[in-house]
Amino acid sequence: MARSYEPPHLTLPVGERDHSDGPADAPLVLVQYGDYQCPYCGAAYPIVKRVQKEFGHRLRFVFRNFPITNAHPMAEWAAETAEAAAAQGKFWEMHDLLYENQRSLGDEALFAREETRLKLDAARIAREVAARAYAARIEEDFASGVRSGVNGTPTFFINGVRYDGYPDFAPMVAALRAAEKGSK
Amino acid sequence: MAKTATAKSPLLGPGVHAPNFTLKSTPDQTVSLREFAGKPVVLAFYPADWSPVCSDQMGLYAQVMPEFKKFEAEVLGISVDGIWSHLAFSKDRKLNFPLLADFEPKGEVSRQYGAFDVRAGESARALFVIDKKGVIRWSYLSPEGVNPGADGILAALEALE
């Protein structure tokens, strides 16, 4: 049984709908399903940054929401906040801010201050988060993850195939290099 | 390794009538498989409560429960942990389905399903989807150390329709 094991594949292809960093025609595509309140995602956050630096323009990084709300009460709030910032063109700024302030999720005053610093319309974000304006999109991300074999957070896919290794720098770089070799 | 378990008793596969069992779900309540006749049942055997990740297999199933409910499926988690461990684990992870204790005789039900890892003395990570008539329609033994997720279960439930 182990012999025939093949990791699951991403069922929703990376496309226009996604938040992505890096060239659209990069040979390597790393997709993360993440939860802003998950401590393991918090630990993976600087590792992904290092991986992005390592591969530069050869890598496109995509982040999709996978809030585990029964374990993480602020995960939905954080996902809504990131999507509300995305509507103003600053998804990645908010994504980073959330992971860098993971212990302060839900601290509206702190985030409002930071949003103003990032030249975001903080009042609009507060309104949209309260109205759960992006719930359908977050749900779509979640459902696509479930169907693709996301088994917890963070779960990564490299060129559409689930990465079953440990979410650390060296094994991820090795897996990406192998994928790069394979695609040539 | 799962091989050890399969060498003794192979994983029950599609077409086999799911063996009935009665296991404790709380200190004074039991659950029998046959109570769920007329509904699809998902059996999720897993090694142990308290695995050191925040969104583990059982936590994921709790979060995905609305998807399972679209198929009116009942989910039962089964491990060799005792009932007090199950209760504390279930409360901590806010699980919304029963955890059954395959505790005495240890692993007996897991063995019947070919889902027992003899070397570890724990249930293997094995999944079964049982149809309304009590027949296994899909089963899956996950490689050691790999959390299988919910995609295979949902595809199998879809195939029942």
PDB file of all heavy atoms in Angstrom, chain A residues 1 5 8 38 40 66-70 72 142 146-147 149-153 162, chain B residues 1 52-55 60 62-64 94 140-141 143 146-147 149-151 154 158:
ATOM      1  N   MET A   1       0.825  -1.198   0.000  1.00  0.00           N
ATOM      2  CA  MET A   1       0.000   0.000   0.000  1.00  0.00           C
ATOM      3  C   MET A   1       0.864   1.255   0.000  1.00  0.00           C
ATOM      4  O   MET A   1       0.641   2.194  -0.734  1.00  0.00           O
ATOM      5  CB  MET A   1      -0.927   0.003   1.219  1.00  0.00           C
ATOM      6  CG  MET A   1      -1.957   1.116   1.119  1.00  0.00           C
ATOM      7  SD  MET A   1      -3.541   0.703   1.847  1.00  0.00           S
ATOM      8  CE  MET A   1      -4.321  -0.295   0.621  1.00  0.00           C
ATOM      9  N   TYR A   5       1.647   4.714  -2.829  1.00  0.00           N
ATOM     10  CA  TYR A   5       1.218   5.991  -2.272  1.00  0.00           C
ATOM     11  C   TYR A   5       1.594   7.166  -3.171  1.00  0.00           C
ATOM     12  O   TYR A   5       2.725   7.306  -3.607  1.00  0.00           O
ATOM     13  CB  TYR A   5       1.832   6.221  -0.889  1.00  0.00           C
ATOM     14  CG  TYR A   5       1.524   7.584  -0.331  1.00  0.00           C
ATOM     15  CD1 TYR A   5       0.235   7.894   0.087  1.00  0.00           C
ATOM     16  CD2 TYR A   5       2.497   8.571  -0.272  1.00  0.00           C
ATOM     17  CE1 TYR A   5      -0.067   9.151   0.568  1.00  0.00           C
ATOM     18  CE2 TYR A   5       2.207   9.836   0.212  1.00  0.00           C
ATOM     19  CZ  TYR A   5       0.920  10.118   0.630  1.00  0.00           C
ATOM     20  OH  TYR A   5       0.623  11.371   1.102  1.00  0.00           O
ATOM     21  N   PRO A   8      -1.953  13.657  -2.550  1.00  0.00           N
ATOM     22  CA  PRO A   8      -3.059  14.270  -3.288  1.00  0.00           C
ATOM     23  C   PRO A   8      -2.648  15.522  -4.059  1.00  0.00           C
ATOM     24  O   PRO A   8      -1.611  16.117  -3.782  1.00  0.00           O
ATOM     25  CB  PRO A   8      -4.072  14.626  -2.195  1.00  0.00           C
ATOM     26  CG  PRO A   8      -3.427  14.382  -0.899  1.00  0.00           C
ATOM     27  CD  PRO A   8      -2.139  13.676  -1.112  1.00  0.00           C
ATOM     28  N   CYS A  38      -2.910  29.828  13.769  1.00  0.00           N
ATOM     29  CA  CYS A  38      -2.231  28.549  14.024  1.00  0.00           C
ATOM     30  C   CYS A  38      -0.756  28.802  14.324  1.00  0.00           C
ATOM     31  O   CYS A  38      -0.055  29.407  13.511  1.00  0.00           O
ATOM     32  CB  CYS A  38      -2.391  27.660  12.792  1.00  0.00           C
ATOM     33  SG  CYS A  38      -1.254  26.281  12.720  1.00  0.00           S
ATOM     34  N   TYR A  40       1.717  26.817  14.217  1.00  0.00           N
ATOM     35  CA  TYR A  40       2.605  26.151  13.259  1.00  0.00           C
ATOM     36  C   TYR A  40       2.719  26.959  11.968  1.00  0.00           C
ATOM     37  O   TYR A  40       3.754  26.950  11.309  1.00  0.00           O
ATOM     38  CB  TYR A  40       2.119  24.722  12.982  1.00  0.00           C
ATOM     39  CG  TYR A  40       2.103  23.906  14.256  1.00  0.00           C
ATOM     40  CD1 TYR A  40       0.959  23.851  15.060  1.00  0.00           C
ATOM     41  CD2 TYR A  40       3.243  23.245  14.698  1.00  0.00           C
ATOM     42  CE1 TYR A  40       0.954  23.145  16.253  1.00  0.00           C
ATOM     43  CE2 TYR A  40       3.247  22.536  15.889  1.00  0.00           C
ATOM     44  CZ  TYR A  40       2.093  22.486  16.662  1.00  0.00           C
ATOM     45  OH  TYR A  40       2.103  21.797  17.847  1.00  0.00           O
ATOM     46  N   PHE A  66      -7.389  28.742   5.343  1.00  0.00           N
ATOM     47  CA  PHE A  66      -7.897  27.486   5.892  1.00  0.00           C
ATOM     48  C   PHE A  66      -8.086  27.666   7.397  1.00  0.00           C
ATOM     49  O   PHE A  66      -7.385  27.055   8.215  1.00  0.00           O
ATOM     50  CB  PHE A  66      -6.935  26.330   5.589  1.00  0.00           C
ATOM     51  CG  PHE A  66      -7.587  24.974   5.640  1.00  0.00           C
ATOM     52  CD1 PHE A  66      -8.277  24.483   4.544  1.00  0.00           C
ATOM     53  CD2 PHE A  66      -7.535  24.192   6.787  1.00  0.00           C
ATOM     54  CE1 PHE A  66      -8.885  23.230   4.575  1.00  0.00           C
ATOM     55  CE2 PHE A  66      -8.145  22.942   6.833  1.00  0.00           C
ATOM     56  CZ  PHE A  66      -8.820  22.459   5.722  1.00  0.00           C
ATOM     57  N   PRO A  67      -9.032  28.526   7.793  1.00  0.00           N
ATOM     58  CA  PRO A  67      -9.215  28.794   9.220  1.00  0.00           C
ATOM     59  C   PRO A  67      -9.856  27.619   9.949  1.00  0.00           C
ATOM     60  O   PRO A  67     -10.922  27.155   9.563  1.00  0.00           O
ATOM     61  CB  PRO A  67     -10.141  30.017   9.239  1.00  0.00           C
ATOM     62  CG  PRO A  67     -10.862  29.995   7.925  1.00  0.00           C
ATOM     63  CD  PRO A  67      -9.935  29.337   6.944  1.00  0.00           C
ATOM     64  N   ILE A  68      -9.166  27.125  10.980  1.00  0.00           N
ATOM     65  CA  ILE A  68      -9.712  26.038  11.807  1.00  0.00           C
ATOM     66  C   ILE A  68     -10.395  26.737  12.987  1.00  0.00           C
ATOM     67  O   ILE A  68      -9.805  26.901  14.057  1.00  0.00           O
ATOM     68  CB  ILE A  68      -8.593  25.098  12.286  1.00  0.00           C
ATOM     69  CG1 ILE A  68      -7.689  24.689  11.121  1.00  0.00           C
ATOM     70  CG2 ILE A  68      -9.163  23.908  13.063  1.00  0.00           C
ATOM     71  CD1 ILE A  68      -7.862  23.325  10.555  1.00  0.00           C
ATOM     72  N   THR A  69     -11.645  27.132  12.764  1.00  0.00           N
ATOM     73  CA  THR A  69     -12.271  28.053  13.722  1.00  0.00           C
ATOM     74  C   THR A  69     -12.651  27.391  15.040  1.00  0.00           C
ATOM     75  O   THR A  69     -12.755  28.076  16.047  1.00  0.00           O
ATOM     76  CB  THR A  69     -13.522  28.706  13.103  1.00  0.00           C
ATOM     77  OG1 THR A  69     -14.341  27.678  12.560  1.00  0.00           O
ATOM     78  CG2 THR A  69     -13.132  29.671  12.002  1.00  0.00           C
ATOM     79  N   ASN A  70     -12.859  26.059  15.062  1.00  0.00           N
ATOM     80  CA  ASN A  70     -13.176  25.486  16.385  1.00  0.00           C
ATOM     81  C   ASN A  70     -11.972  25.448  17.308  1.00  0.00           C
ATOM     82  O   ASN A  70     -12.131  25.441  18.510  1.00  0.00           O
ATOM     83  CB  ASN A  70     -13.953  24.162  16.392  1.00  0.00           C
ATOM     84  CG  ASN A  70     -13.682  23.284  15.228  1.00  0.00           C
ATOM     85  OD1 ASN A  70     -12.932  23.656  14.342  1.00  0.00           O
ATOM     86  ND2 ASN A  70     -14.272  22.117  15.203  1.00  0.00           N
ATOM     87  N   HIS A  72      -9.364  27.807  16.789  1.00  0.00           N
ATOM     88  CA  HIS A  72      -8.797  29.165  16.770  1.00  0.00           C
ATOM     89  C   HIS A  72      -9.881  30.226  16.596  1.00  0.00           C
ATOM     90  O   HIS A  72     -10.260  30.555  15.474  1.00  0.00           O
ATOM     91  CB  HIS A  72      -7.788  29.269  15.617  1.00  0.00           C
ATOM     92  CG  HIS A  72      -6.688  28.267  15.720  1.00  0.00           C
ATOM     93  ND1 HIS A  72      -6.176  27.605  14.636  1.00  0.00           N
ATOM     94  CD2 HIS A  72      -6.005  27.809  16.795  1.00  0.00           C
ATOM     95  CE1 HIS A  72      -5.221  26.779  15.043  1.00  0.00           C
ATOM     96  NE2 HIS A  72      -5.108  26.884  16.350  1.00  0.00           N
ATOM     97  N   PHE A 142     -11.388  27.292   1.794  1.00  0.00           N
ATOM     98  CA  PHE A 142     -11.430  26.162   2.725  1.00  0.00           C
ATOM     99  C   PHE A 142     -11.889  24.882   2.013  1.00  0.00           C
ATOM    100  O   PHE A 142     -11.246  23.832   2.112  1.00  0.00           O
ATOM    101  CB  PHE A 142     -12.341  26.483   3.916  1.00  0.00           C
ATOM    102  CG  PHE A 142     -12.330  25.423   4.973  1.00  0.00           C
ATOM    103  CD1 PHE A 142     -11.375  25.429   5.985  1.00  0.00           C
ATOM    104  CD2 PHE A 142     -13.260  24.390   4.969  1.00  0.00           C
ATOM    105  CE1 PHE A 142     -11.340  24.440   6.956  1.00  0.00           C
ATOM    106  CE2 PHE A 142     -13.234  23.387   5.938  1.00  0.00           C
ATOM    107  CZ  PHE A 142     -12.273  23.428   6.928  1.00  0.00           C
ATOM    108  N   VAL A 146     -10.014  21.264   1.495  1.00  0.00           N
ATOM    109  CA  VAL A 146     -10.533  19.961   1.952  1.00  0.00           C
ATOM    110  C   VAL A 146     -10.505  18.963   0.797  1.00  0.00           C
ATOM    111  O   VAL A 146     -10.080  17.818   0.948  1.00  0.00           O
ATOM    112  CB  VAL A 146     -11.961  20.122   2.510  1.00  0.00           C
ATOM    113  CG1 VAL A 146     -12.604  18.767   2.720  1.00  0.00           C
ATOM    114  CG2 VAL A 146     -11.932  20.906   3.819  1.00  0.00           C
ATOM    115  N   ARG A 147     -10.937  19.408  -0.372  1.00  0.00           N
ATOM    116  CA  ARG A 147     -10.993  18.524  -1.547  1.00  0.00           C
ATOM    117  C   ARG A 147      -9.610  18.179  -2.096  1.00  0.00           C
ATOM    118  O   ARG A 147      -9.452  17.224  -2.845  1.00  0.00           O
ATOM    119  CB  ARG A 147     -11.841  19.178  -2.657  1.00  0.00           C
ATOM    120  CG  ARG A 147     -13.314  19.194  -2.343  1.00  0.00           C
ATOM    121  CD  ARG A 147     -13.792  17.775  -2.068  1.00  0.00           C
ATOM    122  NE  ARG A 147     -15.211  17.754  -1.795  1.00  0.00           N
ATOM    123  CZ  ARG A 147     -16.046  16.852  -2.310  1.00  0.00           C
ATOM    124  NH1 ARG A 147     -15.616  15.917  -3.113  1.00  0.00           N
ATOM    125  NH2 ARG A 147     -17.305  16.882  -1.983  1.00  0.00           N
ATOM    126  N   GLY A 149      -7.004  17.558  -0.123  1.00  0.00           N
ATOM    127  CA  GLY A 149      -6.236  16.770   0.841  1.00  0.00           C
ATOM    128  C   GLY A 149      -5.482  17.607   1.861  1.00  0.00           C
ATOM    129  O   GLY A 149      -4.518  17.131   2.457  1.00  0.00           O
ATOM    130  N   VAL A 150      -5.918  18.842   2.077  1.00  0.00           N
ATOM    131  CA  VAL A 150      -5.332  19.614   3.181  1.00  0.00           C
ATOM    132  C   VAL A 150      -5.706  18.898   4.473  1.00  0.00           C
ATOM    133  O   VAL A 150      -6.869  18.577   4.697  1.00  0.00           O
ATOM    134  CB  VAL A 150      -5.866  21.073   3.191  1.00  0.00           C
ATOM    135  CG1 VAL A 150      -5.459  21.798   4.471  1.00  0.00           C
ATOM    136  CG2 VAL A 150      -5.349  21.821   1.976  1.00  0.00           C
ATOM    137  N   ASN A 151      -4.697  18.588   5.294  1.00  0.00           N
ATOM    138  CA  ASN A 151      -4.964  17.753   6.465  1.00  0.00           C
ATOM    139  C   ASN A 151      -4.628  18.470   7.760  1.00  0.00           C
ATOM    140  O   ASN A 151      -4.471  17.845   8.800  1.00  0.00           O
ATOM    141  CB  ASN A 151      -4.196  16.439   6.339  1.00  0.00           C
ATOM    142  CG  ASN A 151      -2.732  16.667   6.042  1.00  0.00           C
ATOM    143  OD1 ASN A 151      -2.231  17.775   6.200  1.00  0.00           O
ATOM    144  ND2 ASN A 151      -2.041  15.633   5.604  1.00  0.00           N
ATOM    145  N   GLY A 152      -4.509  19.766   7.707  1.00  0.00           N
ATOM    146  CA  GLY A 152      -4.149  20.545   8.878  1.00  0.00           C
ATOM    147  C   GLY A 152      -3.444  21.782   8.371  1.00  0.00           C
ATOM    148  O   GLY A 152      -3.324  21.966   7.146  1.00  0.00           O
ATOM    149  N   THR A 153      -2.994  22.627   9.282  1.00  0.00           N
ATOM    150  CA  THR A 153      -2.305  23.831   8.811  1.00  0.00           C
ATOM    151  C   THR A 153      -0.920  23.919   9.438  1.00  0.00           C
ATOM    152  O   THR A 153      -0.765  23.561  10.605  1.00  0.00           O
ATOM    153  CB  THR A 153      -3.112  25.087   9.146  1.00  0.00           C
ATOM    154  OG1 THR A 153      -3.468  25.056  10.526  1.00  0.00           O
ATOM    155  CG2 THR A 153      -4.348  25.194   8.293  1.00  0.00           C
ATOM    156  N   ARG A 162       0.699  17.794  -3.068  1.00  0.00           N
ATOM    157  CA  ARG A 162       0.850  18.062  -1.639  1.00  0.00           C
ATOM    158  C   ARG A 162       2.257  17.714  -1.151  1.00  0.00           C
ATOM    159  O   ARG A 162       2.786  16.658  -1.466  1.00  0.00           O
ATOM    160  CB  ARG A 162      -0.182  17.269  -0.824  1.00  0.00           C
ATOM    161  CG  ARG A 162      -0.240  17.732   0.649  1.00  0.00           C
ATOM    162  CD  ARG A 162      -1.317  17.002   1.420  1.00  0.00           C
ATOM    163  NE  ARG A 162      -0.891  15.638   1.738  1.00  0.00           N
ATOM    164  CZ  ARG A 162      -1.708  14.702   2.256  1.00  0.00           C
ATOM    165  NH1 ARG A 162      -2.976  14.987   2.497  1.00  0.00           N
ATOM    166  NH2 ARG A 162      -1.260  13.486   2.507  1.00  0.00           N
TER     167      ARG A 162
ATOM    168  N   MET B   1       5.413  -0.332  11.293  1.00  0.00           N
ATOM    169  CA  MET B   1       4.957  -0.085   9.913  1.00  0.00           C
ATOM    170  C   MET B   1       3.634  -0.812   9.681  1.00  0.00           C
ATOM    171  O   MET B   1       3.380  -1.880  10.216  1.00  0.00           O
ATOM    172  CB  MET B   1       6.070  -0.598   8.980  1.00  0.00           C
ATOM    173  CG  MET B   1       5.910  -0.299   7.524  1.00  0.00           C
ATOM    174  SD  MET B   1       6.101   1.440   7.107  1.00  0.00           S
ATOM    175  CE  MET B   1       5.001   1.555   5.727  1.00  0.00           C
ATOM    176  N   PRO B  52       0.703  15.915  18.914  1.00  0.00           N
ATOM    177  CA  PRO B  52       1.148  17.283  19.190  1.00  0.00           C
ATOM    178  C   PRO B  52       1.034  18.253  18.017  1.00  0.00           C
ATOM    179  O   PRO B  52       1.987  18.926  17.674  1.00  0.00           O
ATOM    180  CB  PRO B  52       2.612  17.073  19.586  1.00  0.00           C
ATOM    181  CG  PRO B  52       3.036  15.891  18.774  1.00  0.00           C
ATOM    182  CD  PRO B  52       1.825  15.032  18.606  1.00  0.00           C
ATOM    183  N   VAL B  53      -0.121  18.317  17.397  1.00  0.00           N
ATOM    184  CA  VAL B  53      -0.371  19.356  16.393  1.00  0.00           C
ATOM    185  C   VAL B  53      -1.725  19.978  16.694  1.00  0.00           C
ATOM    186  O   VAL B  53      -2.596  19.335  17.274  1.00  0.00           O
ATOM    187  CB  VAL B  53      -0.369  18.814  14.944  1.00  0.00           C
ATOM    188  CG1 VAL B  53       1.022  18.444  14.495  1.00  0.00           C
ATOM    189  CG2 VAL B  53      -1.299  17.637  14.815  1.00  0.00           C
ATOM    190  N   CYS B  54      -1.911  21.225  16.282  1.00  0.00           N
ATOM    191  CA  CYS B  54      -3.140  21.903  16.691  1.00  0.00           C
ATOM    192  C   CYS B  54      -4.317  21.504  15.826  1.00  0.00           C
ATOM    193  O   CYS B  54      -5.432  21.409  16.279  1.00  0.00           O
ATOM    194  CB  CYS B  54      -2.956  23.406  16.694  1.00  0.00           C
ATOM    195  SG  CYS B  54      -2.488  24.094  15.119  1.00  0.00           S
ATOM    196  N   SER B  55      -4.078  21.289  14.556  1.00  0.00           N
ATOM    197  CA  SER B  55      -5.204  20.962  13.685  1.00  0.00           C
ATOM    198  C   SER B  55      -4.954  19.568  13.150  1.00  0.00           C
ATOM    199  O   SER B  55      -4.558  19.391  12.021  1.00  0.00           O
ATOM    200  CB  SER B  55      -5.317  21.979  12.570  1.00  0.00           C
ATOM    201  OG  SER B  55      -4.051  22.306  12.080  1.00  0.00           O
ATOM    202  N   LEU B  60      -9.653  18.327  12.224  1.00  0.00           N
ATOM    203  CA  LEU B  60     -10.029  18.642  10.842  1.00  0.00           C
ATOM    204  C   LEU B  60     -11.428  18.099  10.540  1.00  0.00           C
ATOM    205  O   LEU B  60     -12.260  18.795   9.955  1.00  0.00           O
ATOM    206  CB  LEU B  60      -9.005  18.034   9.874  1.00  0.00           C
ATOM    207  CG  LEU B  60      -9.333  18.213   8.394  1.00  0.00           C
ATOM    208  CD1 LEU B  60      -9.085  19.649   7.949  1.00  0.00           C
ATOM    209  CD2 LEU B  60      -8.526  17.260   7.536  1.00  0.00           C
ATOM    210  N   ALA B  62     -13.829  17.595  12.582  1.00  0.00           N
ATOM    211  CA  ALA B  62     -14.823  18.423  13.272  1.00  0.00           C
ATOM    212  C   ALA B  62     -15.130  19.668  12.443  1.00  0.00           C
ATOM    213  O   ALA B  62     -16.283  20.082  12.317  1.00  0.00           O
ATOM    214  CB  ALA B  62     -14.317  18.808  14.657  1.00  0.00           C
ATOM    215  N   GLN B  63     -14.079  20.241  11.861  1.00  0.00           N
ATOM    216  CA  GLN B  63     -14.258  21.456  11.060  1.00  0.00           C
ATOM    217  C   GLN B  63     -14.982  21.144   9.743  1.00  0.00           C
ATOM    218  O   GLN B  63     -15.728  21.974   9.226  1.00  0.00           O
ATOM    219  CB  GLN B  63     -12.883  22.072  10.778  1.00  0.00           C
ATOM    220  CG  GLN B  63     -12.928  23.466  10.191  1.00  0.00           C
ATOM    221  CD  GLN B  63     -13.177  24.541  11.236  1.00  0.00           C
ATOM    222  OE1 GLN B  63     -12.803  24.399  12.384  1.00  0.00           O
ATOM    223  NE2 GLN B  63     -13.828  25.611  10.836  1.00  0.00           N
ATOM    224  N   VAL B  64     -14.763  19.950   9.219  1.00  0.00           N
ATOM    225  CA  VAL B  64     -15.348  19.574   7.926  1.00  0.00           C
ATOM    226  C   VAL B  64     -16.748  18.951   8.102  1.00  0.00           C
ATOM    227  O   VAL B  64     -17.433  18.643   7.139  1.00  0.00           O
ATOM    228  CB  VAL B  64     -14.384  18.602   7.182  1.00  0.00           C
ATOM    229  CG1 VAL B  64     -14.955  18.113   5.871  1.00  0.00           C
ATOM    230  CG2 VAL B  64     -13.045  19.282   6.917  1.00  0.00           C
ATOM    231  N   LYS B  94     -12.723  20.442  20.869  1.00  0.00           N
ATOM    232  CA  LYS B  94     -14.094  20.809  20.503  1.00  0.00           C
ATOM    233  C   LYS B  94     -14.627  19.907  19.390  1.00  0.00           C
ATOM    234  O   LYS B  94     -15.143  20.359  18.379  1.00  0.00           O
ATOM    235  CB  LYS B  94     -14.172  22.271  20.084  1.00  0.00           C
ATOM    236  CG  LYS B  94     -13.719  23.209  21.193  1.00  0.00           C
ATOM    237  CD  LYS B  94     -14.035  24.665  20.838  1.00  0.00           C
ATOM    238  CE  LYS B  94     -13.724  25.607  21.977  1.00  0.00           C
ATOM    239  NZ  LYS B  94     -12.294  25.608  22.379  1.00  0.00           N
ATOM    240  N   TYR B 140      -9.186   2.814   3.335  1.00  0.00           N
ATOM    241  CA  TYR B 140      -7.887   3.406   3.022  1.00  0.00           C
ATOM    242  C   TYR B 140      -6.979   3.304   4.235  1.00  0.00           C
ATOM    243  O   TYR B 140      -7.370   3.661   5.346  1.00  0.00           O
ATOM    244  CB  TYR B 140      -8.083   4.876   2.630  1.00  0.00           C
ATOM    245  CG  TYR B 140      -6.787   5.599   2.334  1.00  0.00           C
ATOM    246  CD1 TYR B 140      -6.111   5.376   1.137  1.00  0.00           C
ATOM    247  CD2 TYR B 140      -6.249   6.499   3.249  1.00  0.00           C
ATOM    248  CE1 TYR B 140      -4.921   6.035   0.865  1.00  0.00           C
ATOM    249  CE2 TYR B 140      -5.050   7.157   2.977  1.00  0.00           C
ATOM    250  CZ  TYR B 140      -4.395   6.916   1.778  1.00  0.00           C
ATOM    251  OH  TYR B 140      -3.210   7.562   1.508  1.00  0.00           O
ATOM    252  N   LEU B 141      -5.789   2.783   4.016  1.00  0.00           N
ATOM    253  CA  LEU B 141      -4.792   2.723   5.084  1.00  0.00           C
ATOM    254  C   LEU B 141      -3.719   3.754   4.765  1.00  0.00           C
ATOM    255  O   LEU B 141      -3.043   3.673   3.743  1.00  0.00           O
ATOM    256  CB  LEU B 141      -4.188   1.315   5.151  1.00  0.00           C
ATOM    257  CG  LEU B 141      -3.130   1.076   6.229  1.00  0.00           C
ATOM    258  CD1 LEU B 141      -3.713   1.250   7.630  1.00  0.00           C
ATOM    259  CD2 LEU B 141      -2.552  -0.333   6.090  1.00  0.00           C
ATOM    260  N   PRO B 143      -0.259   5.824   4.878  1.00  0.00           N
ATOM    261  CA  PRO B 143       1.129   5.498   5.202  1.00  0.00           C
ATOM    262  C   PRO B 143       1.484   6.071   6.579  1.00  0.00           C
ATOM    263  O   PRO B 143       0.926   7.080   6.997  1.00  0.00           O
ATOM    264  CB  PRO B 143       1.940   6.219   4.123  1.00  0.00           C
ATOM    265  CG  PRO B 143       0.983   6.596   3.067  1.00  0.00           C
ATOM    266  CD  PRO B 143      -0.372   6.667   3.688  1.00  0.00           C
ATOM    267  N   VAL B 146       1.512   9.907   7.907  1.00  0.00           N
ATOM    268  CA  VAL B 146       0.786  10.804   7.004  1.00  0.00           C
ATOM    269  C   VAL B 146      -0.666  10.913   7.456  1.00  0.00           C
ATOM    270  O   VAL B 146      -1.382   9.923   7.546  1.00  0.00           O
ATOM    271  CB  VAL B 146       0.848  10.318   5.531  1.00  0.00           C
ATOM    272  CG1 VAL B 146       0.008  11.211   4.636  1.00  0.00           C
ATOM    273  CG2 VAL B 146       2.285  10.283   5.049  1.00  0.00           C
ATOM    274  N   ASN B 147      -1.081  12.137   7.760  1.00  0.00           N
ATOM    275  CA  ASN B 147      -2.470  12.414   8.109  1.00  0.00           C
ATOM    276  C   ASN B 147      -3.272  12.457   6.812  1.00  0.00           C
ATOM    277  O   ASN B 147      -2.979  13.257   5.932  1.00  0.00           O
ATOM    278  CB  ASN B 147      -2.494  13.768   8.840  1.00  0.00           C
ATOM    279  CG  ASN B 147      -3.879  14.297   9.098  1.00  0.00           C
ATOM    280  OD1 ASN B 147      -4.875  13.731   8.639  1.00  0.00           O
ATOM    281  ND2 ASN B 147      -3.959  15.391   9.817  1.00  0.00           N
ATOM    282  N   GLY B 149      -6.287  13.451   5.813  1.00  0.00           N
ATOM    283  CA  GLY B 149      -7.208  14.497   5.372  1.00  0.00           C
ATOM    284  C   GLY B 149      -8.602  13.950   5.142  1.00  0.00           C
ATOM    285  O   GLY B 149      -8.921  12.816   5.523  1.00  0.00           O
ATOM    286  N   ALA B 150      -9.450  14.740   4.489  1.00  0.00           N
ATOM    287  CA  ALA B 150     -10.858  14.371   4.331  1.00  0.00           C
ATOM    288  C   ALA B 150     -11.262  14.164   2.873  1.00  0.00           C
ATOM    289  O   ALA B 150     -12.392  13.798   2.593  1.00  0.00           O
ATOM    290  CB  ALA B 150     -11.750  15.447   4.961  1.00  0.00           C
ATOM    291  N   ASP B 151     -10.337  14.385   1.950  1.00  0.00           N
ATOM    292  CA  ASP B 151     -10.696  14.346   0.526  1.00  0.00           C
ATOM    293  C   ASP B 151     -11.183  12.973   0.078  1.00  0.00           C
ATOM    294  O   ASP B 151     -12.180  12.867  -0.638  1.00  0.00           O
ATOM    295  CB  ASP B 151      -9.533  14.829  -0.348  1.00  0.00           C
ATOM    296  CG  ASP B 151      -8.217  14.119  -0.042  1.00  0.00           C
ATOM    297  OD1 ASP B 151      -7.942  13.895   1.153  1.00  0.00           O
ATOM    298  OD2 ASP B 151      -7.484  13.790  -0.976  1.00  0.00           O
ATOM    299  N   LEU B 154     -14.759  12.231   1.399  1.00  0.00           N
ATOM    300  CA  LEU B 154     -15.809  12.968   0.690  1.00  0.00           C
ATOM    301  C   LEU B 154     -16.047  12.390  -0.698  1.00  0.00           C
ATOM    302  O   LEU B 154     -17.196  12.272  -1.144  1.00  0.00           O
ATOM    303  CB  LEU B 154     -15.439  14.456   0.603  1.00  0.00           C
ATOM    304  CG  LEU B 154     -15.541  15.194   1.942  1.00  0.00           C
ATOM    305  CD1 LEU B 154     -14.915  16.579   1.846  1.00  0.00           C
ATOM    306  CD2 LEU B 154     -16.995  15.312   2.397  1.00  0.00           C
ATOM    307  N   GLU B 158     -19.561  10.746  -1.921  1.00  0.00           N
ATOM    308  CA  GLU B 158     -20.173  11.218  -3.160  1.00  0.00           C
ATOM    309  C   GLU B 158     -20.514  10.046  -4.066  1.00  0.00           C
ATOM    310  O   GLU B 158     -21.568  10.015  -4.696  1.00  0.00           O
ATOM    311  CB  GLU B 158     -19.171  12.128  -3.873  1.00  0.00           C
ATOM    312  CG  GLU B 158     -19.773  13.377  -4.455  1.00  0.00           C
ATOM    313  CD  GLU B 158     -18.672  14.393  -4.712  1.00  0.00           C
ATOM    314  OE1 GLU B 158     -17.649  14.044  -5.331  1.00  0.00           O
ATOM    315  OE2 GLU B 158     -18.837  15.532  -4.263  1.00  0.00           O
TER     316      GLU B 158
END
